[in-house]
């Protein structure tokens, strides 16, 4: 009887260790795949980047793939329409999910992606105009944006900016793929359609 108890205890420990290892593996896969997704966005390869967007998100938001591609482009490449503004997307720091939620046959988690951005504004602006611009940027970001160094040179001002974005990662064990849905203000109802309530609650500050 004592040996049987020890055997069961060892089996439980082994099962727990396997589950933890699998969870860590999925979390790391979410992190590395988001880095690939971001690299494509940074390189403006939107035809490839859109394949990383969750199809469940597209269905819930009634987006076609082409519409989502154009939306990604507007967020990462529409700056060229503003001749006085140059935006450069630099590195990203990604934190894997703190916890994973199993729902049906899929695994869900929330990543924190801190995107580093450099904005250069052409023109001679005084300090008051620069401070107004900074306050507008931070207000638009709804707590996501944080302004760092501001460098003024003759005829231009360069701002270092971070955008801390919450991202839902969705792992499908059949395809072994991870797909994503980046938080956007006003999309709480849409996210509730395809994500577990625990994931939506974790992202609510940016929805």
């Amino acid at each position: 009887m004592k040996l049987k108890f020890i055997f069961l205890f060892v089996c439980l420990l082994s099962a727990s260790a396997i589950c933890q290892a699998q969870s860590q593996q999925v979390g790391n896969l979410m992190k590395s795949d988001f880095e690939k997704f971001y690299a494509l966005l940074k390189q403006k390869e939107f035809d490839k980047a859109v394949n990383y967007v969750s199809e469940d998100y597209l269905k819930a938001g009634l987006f076609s793939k082409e519409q989502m591609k154009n939306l990604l482009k507007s967020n990462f490449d529409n700056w060229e329409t503003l001749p006085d503004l140059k935006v450069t997307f630099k590195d990203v720091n990604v934190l894997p999910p703190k916890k994973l939620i199993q729902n049906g046959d899929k695994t869900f988690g929330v990543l924190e992606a801190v995107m580093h951005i450099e904005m250069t504004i052409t023109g001679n602006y005084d300090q008051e105009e620069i401070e107004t611009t900074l306050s507008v940027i931070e207000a638009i970001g709804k707590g996501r944006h944080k302004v760092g160094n501001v460098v003024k040179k003759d005829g231009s001002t360069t701002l270092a900016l971070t955008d801390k974005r919450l991202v839902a990662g969705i792992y499908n064990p059949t395809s072994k793929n991870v797909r994503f849905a980046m938080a956007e203000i006003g999309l709480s109802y849409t996210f509730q359609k395809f994500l577990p309530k625990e994931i939506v609650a974790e992202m609510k500050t940016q929805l």
Side-chain angles (χ1 to χ4, degrees):
M1 187 71 179
K2 191 173 182 180
L3 286 174
K4 185 178 180 181
F5 173 78
I6 293 172
F7 176 74
L8 288 173
F9 181 69
V10 170
C11 287
L12 286 172
L13 284 178
S14 298
S16 176
I18 291 170
C19 287
Q20 287 180 357
Q22 289 175 337
S23 293
Q24 186 175 12
Q25 188 176 23
V26 170
N28 289 338
L29 180 62
M30 288 182 176
K31 177 181 183 296
S32 63
D33 275 8
F34 184 82
E35 289 169 344
K36 293 174 186 176
F37 178 34
Y38 180 79
L40 291 172
L41 293 172
K42 190 169 69 167
Q43 294 158 12
K44 302 180 183 180
E45 296 189 36
F46 302 108
D47 285 328
K48 295 178 182 178
V50 74
N51 294 322
Y52 280 87
V53 177
S54 164
E55 290 188 2
D56 293 334
Y57 175 30
L58 298 181
K59 291 177 185 176
L62 302 177
F63 297 113
S64 68
K65 208 166 184 179
E66 187 66 22
Q67 286 173 323
M68 178 54 65
K69 185 181 78 172
N70 290 334
L71 183 60
L72 292 174
K73 188 174 181 180
S74 71
N75 283 331
F76 288 85
D77 195 33
N78 68 336
W79 310 102
E80 292 182 358
T81 61
L82 302 171
D84 295 336
L85 177 64
K86 180 182 178 183
V87 177
T88 304
F89 288 87
K90 294 185 170 291
D91 296 335
V92 65
N93 299 117
V94 185
L95 294 179
K98 296 176 183 175
K99 61 181 178 181
L100 295 174
I101 302 294
Q102 189 76 33
N103 193 323
D105 62 342
K106 295 177 181 177
T107 303
F108 301 81
V110 178
L111 302 100
E112 185 179 289
V114 181
M115 306 176 195
H116 297 271
I117 305 165
E118 186 177 271
M119 302 177 68
T120 300
I121 307 167
T122 303
N124 292 308
Y125 296 94
D126 60 31
Q127 189 61 32
E128 184 177 350
E129 289 173 316
I130 292 172
E131 288 177 0
T132 299
T133 301
L134 298 182
S135 63
V136 169
I137 290 171
E138 291 184 335
I140 291 173
K142 301 287 185 181
R144 283 177 19 209
H145 294 160
K146 184 176 180 181
V147 178
N149 292 335
V150 179
V151 178
K152 286 190 68 174
K153 293 182 180 179
D154 290 340
S156 69
T157 304
T158 299
L159 315 174
L161 177 71
T162 56
D163 181 356
K164 184 166 71 174
R165 186 77 67 96
L166 297 178
V167 183
I170 305 164
Y171 173 71
N172 186 325
T174 303
S175 63
K176 299 190 184 304
N177 288 328
V178 180
R179 296 295 179 257
F180 302 101
M182 288 192 281
E184 294 285 356
I185 294 294
L187 290 184
S188 180
Y189 177 69
T190 299
F191 275 52
Q192 288 172 22
K193 290 181 180 180
F194 70 98
L195 293 174
K197 61 183 181 180
E198 299 92 336
I199 299 298
V200 176
E202 198 172 338
M203 302 179 75
K204 66 180 180 180
T205 57
Q206 293 190 4
L207 299 174

